[in-house]
């Protein structure tokens, strides 16, 4: 058997030096989790052990180390008791603070033997033995080839500063094609013998290895970082039949923004309004074009047309000075933003408009929704982007009639906010033409007064009606001349007026094939109106709060087709501080987010490629143009690419462009260019496939299928797809050489079966008769919008063991000053010890799991209670106590919510639930459904799943 | 001319109407698709510049336009089938039943109308269906014509 380590030896011949496309990633990858050297000298550091037997010693050591006061337990302090737990423990397997387990694997819990084989701490294992993380080979390669790359670059290019470069490039005649690049090496592994390890999900996608000099400048930023675009295949098959043979999808996961605010994720902005584009295919100039004729012309890398280089590239007419074109951002950076000139506007850039629709029916008032939302808006007025002072706000209240509010300008002496009630719901009209939508700057004071008074106005409202549909139409009428956002906050089912919905959920239908009907739109108004809104640049966001059936399935159509989002807060009650804080902080962040307006997204690609299908929240205005009345910063989009003609080049390019108006009235284009190598063999395709992107693609696809043909069909499609992939791999590449009837799959795709299992068991798709259809619909919305890192976490939640986290976890890393998280664990109850404390986090909710035998000292340190029975389960918070462990636990929980450091923008603040293993069963069951690798009522465990896959594949 | 001949003549005419409608549908679908191809070439130009410009076929208008013809088409076909049933032309009836069933099923499922939000994803399905209907109507056209001639000849002989 050709062992992969042989492959390492013959890795790329020196003529083809490697390019390290993602500088940042490389660095990250080549430092595997440190093997915890600090543990050996635990004697100096304080140790914490929350073991069943050892808590008294634990308390002693702990308090001596932290507080230095006599311990509460009355035991004499035993300063500097190192590793006592290991000594104290009767059974070594249960080492409360498993020093030995740690040094081996970096995992707190005693791990089964085969597991060690793939721990990062054990690199001595032969590569066959597991997926060592790309760093193992990528690092080695980069280390070896790095200098060479530099030299070659120097020889060939003479540095990017010299204009002579393009000429040299041009002399590479395409006829003399150099032999194919050595792409990522394929490392087949056995899925059954080396179980999946959760840390593999955090590995960067396989490198995207481009030929040297692919980009016109040797900029490290020439290729698009995976944070913005991830391709399911980092090596593209040259023909359609090859793609079909591989059975893998070719799609891009595009997330144009990595943060809610520009300041957190800045992208170079080309200010001078010189935008060079190809005349034919309209591609924006990018680092992969080639220059011809002494740099007077450039050849488009997509369609090969030659275009003139704008004079402004070399000569600044304003200052009458020559400029260096190699300094231009668009030739050095794959992700740039252009300030768009007049031609890119059909009308003056629209101002930011927020129209709030308040539900003031009894349900909304009694749950405190009205008061909380009014208060949050009031507090967030300064956070709403208003740099150009044109931002406008409007307010409509709705119960069984519509209440308009006319808000005067601040300098209007006699102005007074007045309420106008319209009860004609069929043909809502605007009671007055102006003052319903007021500029925030000019009416700030009046708006504040109004928002303060609003809850009082309706505090005794007993009306149970909700005419949301009519209110939406009225709102649309009000803002459609400008465009903007309608923010609907509703706590009840729209039961009157246009778009009336009915309580159609029947508990008996749940879990049957009829359930799928509940996920579809009940009233066609919600589709046709969405299209209408999209046409008039109106985007709708739904904040839904009902404790009863609210038909999220129908209502979520409006955000789906208008670039909005559905936020669902089941059973919201502002009386609970956690609910109020969660909503208020999310809503405030949502209002502060710098959204784009009147946006369109288009993806262009090298000749031979075509964008075939688009997934995400937008409206397809033509087959390849996605229209977004408002462009959110916390969503991702999936674009499937079809290969129409065979690809001749060594690498191809894909360019996503978002034309939008910033929230301060500037027209801009964000351009992202991704370049991928091509290949003619299946092995390369598999070796360069990105499991997270593939999962994202299939998640979108599964949602589409669930809505169209039902949940069963969606689940079956997922299962047959993974079987198909495994079979294809076995047939094409397995070669049967591994023998033993194992299940072979490449190292970079090892997580795929688990992720598919997680997807099938996700609340959106799970087979169960217990899930209300509203929750399902909300989950389906998340599955089709969440940015990739959050989606993967939603499918395969994070599990951290807190009671035995290493000393460096929960405290800032000395170098990056970021909080260090404990190593994640696989989601299996086998990982749980009965005295443990765990954090399960799926990004939408967090569960603190308190084991059955948790020692009192642990509870006292973390929760400040003496006894398990005093522990309040359910939604809650970790109290702030003055001890080191409490601080670290809180730091871990907080860090686990940190979206920004993972390169995504999100407003979500997950709820924290405290779960006691012997506490309330329903909560416990809920937390357990997140343990994807366990057997659940109607779903398989990971072992069963792998077994069934194997049966189907091997037969 | 006998009743039979009249009936088939009527069928030929109605069928011709449906045939033309189906051709219209197919052209419209292809138009939408052709437009796409055109955009990839030269016409792509201004598109990125004008979010609400009108240089492409608007899927919303297209759907609205086509949707007005869907029910009438199904109704006319249903009426024709009914005529065959009433007059007892079993062969013609049986030939028409599959399409009638398909139309009724679509209307009952409320999927007969085109949905602007999904038109691009379902374009291929719609096109395929349109082609099948086109073929069906074409065959039926000749069948009715043939039946009509046969009936006329029978008239002559009688």
């Amino acid at each position: 058997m050709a062992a992969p380590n042989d492959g390492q030896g013959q890795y790329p011949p020196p003529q083809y030096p490697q390019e390290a496309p993602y500088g940042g990633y490389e660095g990250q990858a080549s430092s595997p989790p440190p093997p915890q050297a600090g543990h050996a000298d635990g004697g100096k550091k304080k140790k914490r052990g929350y073991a069943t037997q050892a808590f008294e010693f634990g308390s002693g050591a702990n308090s001596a180390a932290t507080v230095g006061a006599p311990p509460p337990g009355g035991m004499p302090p035993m300063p500097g008791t190192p590793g006592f737990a290991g000594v104290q423990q009767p059974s070594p397997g249960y080492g409360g603070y498993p020093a030995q387990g740690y040094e081996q694997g970096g995992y707190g819990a005693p791990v089964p033997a085969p597991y060690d084989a793939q721990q990062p701490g054990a690199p001595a294992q032969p590569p066959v033995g597991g997926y060592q993380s790309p760093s193992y080979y990528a690092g080695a390669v980069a280390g070896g080839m790095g200098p060479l790359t530099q030299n070659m670059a120097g020889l060939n290019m003479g540095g990017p500063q010299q204009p002579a470069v393009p000429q040299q490039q041009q002399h590479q005649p395409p006829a003399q094609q150099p032999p194919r690049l050595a792409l990522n090496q394929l490392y087949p592994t056995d899925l059954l013998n080396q179980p999946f390890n959760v840390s593999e999900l955090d590995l960067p996608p396989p490198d995207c290895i481009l030929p040297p000099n692919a980009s016109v400048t040797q900029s490290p930023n020439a290729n698009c970082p995976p944070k913005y675009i991830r391709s399911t295949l980092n090596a593209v098959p040259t023909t359609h039949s090859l793609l079909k043979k591989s059975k893998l999808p070719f799609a891009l996961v595009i997330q144009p923004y990595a943060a809610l605010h520009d300041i957190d994720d800045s992208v170079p902005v080309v200010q001078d309004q010189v935008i060079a584009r190809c005349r034919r295919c309209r591609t924006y100039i990018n680092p992969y074009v080639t220059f011809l004729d002494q740099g007077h012309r450039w050849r488009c890398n997509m369609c090969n047309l030659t275009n003139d280089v704008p004079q402004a590239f070399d000569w600044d007419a304003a200052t009458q000075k020559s400029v260096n074109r190699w300094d231009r951002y668009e030739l050095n950076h794959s992700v740039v933003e252009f300030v768009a000139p007049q031609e890119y506007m059909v009308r003056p850039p629209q101002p930011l408009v927020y129209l709030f629709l308040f539900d003031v029916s009894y349900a909304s008032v009694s749950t405190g929704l009205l008061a909380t939302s009014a208060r949050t808006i009031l507090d967030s007025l300064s956070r709403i982007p208003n740099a150009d002072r044109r931002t406008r706000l409007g307010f409509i209240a709705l119960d069984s009639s519509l209440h308009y509010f006319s808000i005067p300008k601040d300098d209007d002496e006699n102005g007074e906010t007045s309420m106008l009630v319209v009860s004609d719901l069929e043909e809502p009209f605007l009671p007055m033409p102006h003052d319903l939508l007021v500029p925030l700057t000019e009416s700030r004071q009046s708006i504040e007064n109004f928002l303060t008074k609003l809850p009082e106005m309706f505090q005794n409202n007993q009306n149970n009606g909700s005419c949301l549909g009519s209110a939406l139409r009225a709102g649309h009428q009000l803002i459609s001349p400008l465009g903007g956002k309608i923010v609907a906050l509703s706590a009840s089912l729209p039961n009157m007026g246009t778009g009336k919905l009915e309580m159609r959920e029947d508990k008996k239908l749940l879990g049957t094939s009829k359930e799928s009907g509940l996920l579809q739109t009940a009233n066609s108004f919600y589709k046709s109106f969405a299209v209408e809104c999209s046409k008039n640049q109106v985007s709708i966001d739904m904040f839904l709060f009902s404790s009863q059936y609210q038909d999220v399935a129908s209502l979520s159509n409006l955000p789906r087709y208008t670039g909005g989002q559905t936020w669902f807060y089941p059973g919201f009650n502002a009386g609970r501080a956690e609910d109020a804080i969660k909503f208020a902080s999310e809503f405030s962040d949502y209002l502060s987010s710098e959204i784009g307006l009147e946006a369109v997204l288009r993806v262009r690609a090298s000749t031979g490629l075509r964008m075939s299908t688009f997934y995400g929240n937008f409206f397809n205005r033509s087959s390849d143009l996605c229209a977004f009345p408002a462009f959110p910063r916390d969503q991702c989009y999936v674009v499937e690419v079809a290969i129409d003609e065979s690809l001749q080049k060594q690498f191809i390019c894909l360019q996503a462009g978002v034309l939008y108006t910033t929230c301060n009235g500037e027209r801009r284009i964000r351009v992202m260019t991704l370049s991928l190598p091509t290949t003619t063999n299946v092995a390369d395709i598999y070796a360069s496939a990105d499991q997270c992107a593939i999962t994202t693609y299939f998640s979108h696809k599964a949602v589409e299928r669930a809505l169209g043909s039902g949940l069963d069909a969606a689940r079956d499609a997922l299962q047959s797809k993974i079987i198909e992939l495994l079979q294809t791999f076995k047939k094409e590449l397995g070669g049967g050489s591994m023998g033993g009837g194992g299940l072979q799959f490449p190292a970079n795709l090892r997580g795929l079966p688990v992720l598919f299992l997680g997807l099938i068991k996700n609340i959106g798709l799970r087979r169960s008769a217990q899930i209300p259809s509203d929750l399902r619909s909300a989950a389906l919305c998340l599955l089709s919008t969440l940015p990739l890192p959050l989606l993967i976490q939603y499918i395969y939640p994070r599990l951290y063991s807190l009671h035995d986290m290493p000393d460096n976890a929960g405290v800032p890393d000395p170098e990056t000053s970021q909080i260090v998280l404990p190593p994640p664990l696989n989601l299996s109850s086998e990982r749980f010890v009965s005295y443990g404390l765990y954090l399960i986090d799926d990004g939408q909710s967090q569960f603190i799991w308190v084991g059955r035998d948790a020692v009192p000292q642990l509870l006292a340190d973390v929760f400040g209670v003496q006894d398990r029975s005093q522990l309040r389960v359910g939604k809650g918070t970790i109290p702030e106590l003055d001890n080191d462990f409490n601080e670290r636990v809180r730091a871990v929980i907080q860090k686990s919510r940190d979206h920004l450091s993972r390169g995504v923008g999100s407003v979500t603040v997950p709820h924290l639930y405290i779960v006691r293993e012997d506490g309330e069963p329903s909560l416990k069951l809920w937390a357990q459904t997140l343990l994807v690798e366990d057997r659940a009522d109607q779903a398989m465990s990971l072992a069963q799943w792998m077994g069934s896959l194997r049966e189907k594949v091997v037969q | 001319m006998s009743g039979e001949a009249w009936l088939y003549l009527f069928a030929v005419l109605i069928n011709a109407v449906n045939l033309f409608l189906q051709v219209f549908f197919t052209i419209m679908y292809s138009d939408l698709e052709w437009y796409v191809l055109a955009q990839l070439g030269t016409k792509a130009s201004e598109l990125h510049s004008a979010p609400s410009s009108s240089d492409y076929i608007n899927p919303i208008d297209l759907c609205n336009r086509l949707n007005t013809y869907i029910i009438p088409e199904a109704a006319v076909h249903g009426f024709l089938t009914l005529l065959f049933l009433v007059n007892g032309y079993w062969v013609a009836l049986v030939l028409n039943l599959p399409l009638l069933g398909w139309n009724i099923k679509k209307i009952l499922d409320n999927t007969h109308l085109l949905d602007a939000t999904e038109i691009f994803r379902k374009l291929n399905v719609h096109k395929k269906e349109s082609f099948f209907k086109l073929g069906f109507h074409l065959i039926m056209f000749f069948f009715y014509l043939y039946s009509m001639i046969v009936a006329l000849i029978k008239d002559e002989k009688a």
Side-chain angles (χ1 to χ4, degrees), chain A residues 434-446:
Chain A
H434 52 87
D435 282 355
L436 294 176
L437 202 59
V438 293
L440 175 58
T441 316
E442 290 168 34
S443 305
R444 173 82 190 243
Q445 202 58 48
S446 312

Side-chain angles (χ1 to χ4, degrees), chain A residues 354-358 485-489 541 543 587 590-591:
Chain A
Y354 274 113
L355 176 69
F356 297 94
L357 303 186
F358 293 108
K485 268 242 183 233
I486 297 181
V487 185
L489 302 138
D541 277 317
F543 288 81
F587 194 45
Y590 159 82
L591 289 174

Side-chain angles (χ1 to χ4, degrees), chain A residues 527 614 621 623-624 659 704, chain B residues 36 48 51 56 59 115 121:
Chain A
K527 272 197 169 174
F614 297 79
R621 208 159 41 200
S623 66
D624 64 338
L659 172 70
E704 194 199 26
Chain B
V36 175
H48 219 168
Y56 48 83
D115 183 347
R121 247 174 249 181

Side-chain angles (χ1 to χ4, degrees), chain A residues 1-282:
Chain A
M1 188 208 76
N5 52 351
D6 286 352
Q8 290 244 350
Q10 15 159 295
Y11 216 3
Q15 298 95 289
Y16 310 114
Q18 293 284 315
E19 193 183 56
Y22 314 134
Y25 266 75
E26 206 66 46
Q28 190 188 329
S30 48
S31 57
Q36 314 300 339
H39 271 281
D41 58 344
K44 283 176 209 146
K45 284 184 155 185
K46 63 184 186 307
K47 282 274 178 181
R48 304 203 55 99
Y50 293 111
T52 16
Q53 314 283 317
F55 63 88
E56 281 158 348
F57 289 94
S59 70
N62 169 30
S63 49
T66 51
V67 195
M75 285 289 293
M78 296 180 63
T81 314
F84 57 88
V87 185
Q88 199 74 22
Q89 281 299 318
S91 98
Y94 270 74
Y97 197 79
Q100 81 279 50
Y102 223 85
E103 271 149 350
Q104 282 171 13
Y107 283 84
V111 281
Y115 228 84
D116 283 357
Q118 39 165 329
Q119 298 295 347
Q125 287 285 329
V128 203
Y131 186 25
Q132 292 292 349
S133 93
S135 62
Y136 186 63
Y137 46 87
V141 168
M145 308 303 298
L148 247 175
T149 318
Q150 307 279 304
N151 290 345
M152 288 300 287
L155 279 176
N156 271 359
M157 302 288 298
Q161 305 308 16
Q162 293 175 16
V165 179
Q167 275 170 292
Q168 292 210 348
Q169 291 226 329
Q170 158 200 356
H171 289 313
Q172 293 183 337
Q176 239 183 10
Q177 264 208 2
R180 290 274 166 193
L181 283 173
L183 300 174
N184 289 312
Q185 182 75 35
L186 186 71
Y187 294 96
T189 60
D190 192 318
L191 293 177
L192 299 174
N193 291 342
Q194 292 112 32
F196 163 77
N197 184 330
V198 55
S199 54
E200 292 169 22
L201 292 181
D202 288 337
L203 299 172
D207 284 334
C208 176
I209 298 166
L210 292 174
N213 306 341
S215 69
V216 69
T217 54
Q218 288 296 299
S219 163
N221 305 315
N223 209 354
C224 188
K227 142 168 124 162
Y228 299 104
I229 301 184
R230 274 174 91 150
S231 168
T232 56
L233 306 177
N234 277 339
V236 180
T238 46
T239 59
H240 174 70
S241 59
L242 185 60
L243 178 65
K244 222 170 155 187
K245 192 169 145 198
S246 78
K247 306 286 183 200
L248 286 165
F250 181 25
L252 303 179
V253 179
I254 303 175
Q255 185 202 337
Y257 295 93
L260 294 178
H261 302 99
D262 272 339
I263 196 163
D264 296 323
D265 175 55
S266 58
V267 156
V269 180
V270 180
Q271 295 283 0
D272 59 5
Q273 302 204 339
V274 177
I275 303 180
R277 296 176 70 179
C278 173
R279 277 173 295 134
R280 181 163 64 195
C281 66
R282 307 305 291 161

